[in-house]
Amino acid sequence: MRYLLRKLGFYLVALWAALTVNFFVPRLMPGDPVEILISKLGQRGPVTPQMRASVEALLGTDSGEPLWRQYVDYLGNLAHGDLGVSVTFFPASVGSIIEQTLPWTIGLIGLATIISFLAGVGLGAAAGWKRGSWLDNLIPVTTMFQSVPYFWLALILLFAFGSVWQLFPLNGGYDVYTVTPGWNGPFLGSVLYYGALPAITIVLSSVGGWMLGMRNMMVSTLSEDYLVTAEAKGLRPGRIMLRYAARNAILPSVSGFAISLGFVVAGSIVTEAVFSYPGIGSALLQSVGGNDYALMQGIFLVITLSVLGANLLVDLLYSVIDPRTRARA
């Protein structure tokens, strides 16, 4: 319990620090979201000083309020779940924009990251167990894909499989012309079809790192005395591999997976930009271009919570996998 309370206290302090940075950084950027929204409203008619004051109050950037007061209001609104109004998608709220885009990002980037981790760890464990096999010799090929810049690999696959052979669509999240969004077969099939190429690109670009790391840890673990003892006892090779070697070799990969899982939202920007995917990364790009403080802060909040939540979860999982961490804590 003491270990758990110490971890929770640390992550609460980290959350407060991240929220504070999240408040100040957008306000240090050049540009004024009020002017952007005023220019949009000005296309529909004259904008009075009263309307301008209302817009400033709506966006939480009232020039008459000191910065510390805006900070207090910002924390109070967060406590009530009010993330503000988006300038880019006005008059939609930030919460509704995140609610619409986040499932697309989690469904694509999250699942692709999990598939890449499981495939890489499994293949890496097998390659380390059978050194010199064809699977072990395959690792340099997979690491080659990882060395290629992601956006370049994505463009090559998009050109080859989208333009030349036309096996996959070039952009979008689903067929907007023939299917209706909802929990129905045609829509889900269209989502899988449109997300296949981005997912393949993510897996190809990351599976090599997991394979190489797990393979090296397996090779290092195989020289431990407890494995020699297990072999001397006559235990089955499969049991030694899974229960003794792989269980200890996977510990560093679990830590790396926590970081990767936490940055699923942040790492979606390049993917969604190349494939024009309707996720939270595309919304973040538009918010930066439009100096949309509220939307930027809302998305950064989601990124912060995902990173901290993933690390906390793996910290707790790590204490279950390796009880020695609790003793050291």
Side-chain angles (χ1 to χ4, degrees):
M1 181 59 68
R2 219 165 65 186
Y3 173 81
L4 177 61
L5 292 176
R6 188 182 299 117
K7 286 294 181 182
L8 289 176
F10 169 78
Y11 282 106
L12 285 176
V13 173
L15 176 61
W16 169 79
L19 292 178
T20 302
V21 173
N22 191 24
F23 171 80
F24 285 104
V25 168
R27 284 164 174 77
L28 297 176
M29 296 174 60
D32 187 358
V34 175
E35 294 296 338
I36 296 174
L37 186 52
I38 289 295
S39 64
K40 290 183 179 181
L41 296 176
Q43 298 174 1
R44 305 178 183 178
V47 178
T48 63
Q50 292 79 7
M51 292 178 62
R52 182 183 182 86
S54 299
V55 170
E56 289 180 347
L58 180 67
L59 299 180
T61 58
D62 191 349
S63 56
E65 282 191 346
L67 197 59
W68 68 267
R69 183 62 191 174
Q70 296 181 31
Y71 176 67
V72 172
D73 293 340
Y74 160 75
L75 293 179
N77 291 333
L78 282 183
H80 291 87
D82 182 8
L83 300 178
V85 177
S86 171
V87 173
T88 308
F89 301 95
F90 185 82
S93 66
V94 172
S96 65
I97 300 300
I98 294 176
E99 184 180 354
Q100 293 171 13
T101 56
L102 186 59
W104 292 95
T105 297
I106 294 177
L108 173 63
I109 315 294
L111 288 177
T113 302
I114 293 173
I115 292 172
S116 175
F117 171 75
L118 294 177
V121 166
L123 294 175
W129 182 256
K130 295 183 178 180
R131 285 170 289 177
S133 62
W134 67 270
L135 191 58
D136 196 15
N137 296 326
L138 184 66
I139 291 181
V141 179
T142 60
T143 53
M144 179 195 69
F145 286 111
Q146 189 179 23
S147 65
V148 178
Y150 175 80
F151 72 91
W152 185 241
L153 178 62
L155 289 173
I156 292 175
L157 294 180
L158 190 62
F159 174 75
F161 295 103
S163 297
V164 178
W165 292 314
Q166 298 182 356
L167 297 177
F168 298 101
L170 291 173
N171 53 57
Y174 67 97
D175 190 347
V176 297
Y177 300 106
T178 61
V179 299
T180 303
W183 293 102
N184 55 76
F187 174 72
L188 296 177
S190 180
V191 169
L192 292 175
Y193 176 55
Y194 274 71
L197 187 57
I200 291 172
T201 308
I202 294 171
V203 172
L204 282 178
S205 65
S206 57
V207 71
W210 297 120
M211 283 186 66
L212 181 61
M214 186 63 182
R215 185 262 182 196
N216 291 339
M217 286 303 302
M218 281 289 290
V219 172
S220 176
T221 304
L222 289 177
S223 61
E224 296 291 339
D225 293 338
Y226 59 86
L227 283 179
V228 178
T229 303
E231 291 177 356
K233 286 182 176 180
L235 297 179
R236 289 182 293 105
R239 184 179 181 185
I240 297 175
M241 173 186 171
L242 295 177
R243 297 290 299 275
Y244 292 86
R247 181 177 179 180
N248 290 280
I250 200 175
L251 294 177
S253 296
V254 171
S255 300
F257 178 64
I259 299 174
S260 300
L261 200 60
F263 281 101
V264 160
V265 178
S268 67
I269 298 175
V270 176
T271 303
E272 295 174 7
V274 172
F275 292 98
S276 300
Y277 202 76
I280 203 169
S282 298
L284 179 58
L285 283 177
Q286 295 181 58
S287 67
V288 171
N291 291 311
D292 191 344
Y293 291 171
L295 186 54
M296 276 190 283
Q297 288 178 168
I299 294 176
F300 290 151
L301 175 63
V302 172
I303 294 174
T304 300
L305 292 176
S306 62
V307 172
L308 293 178
N311 279 275
L312 175 59
L313 181 63
V314 172
D315 268 347
L316 300 178
L317 181 62
Y318 212 100
S319 66
V320 175
I321 298 176
D322 187 4
R324 293 172 297 177
T325 57
R326 285 177 293 180
R328 288 195 293 266

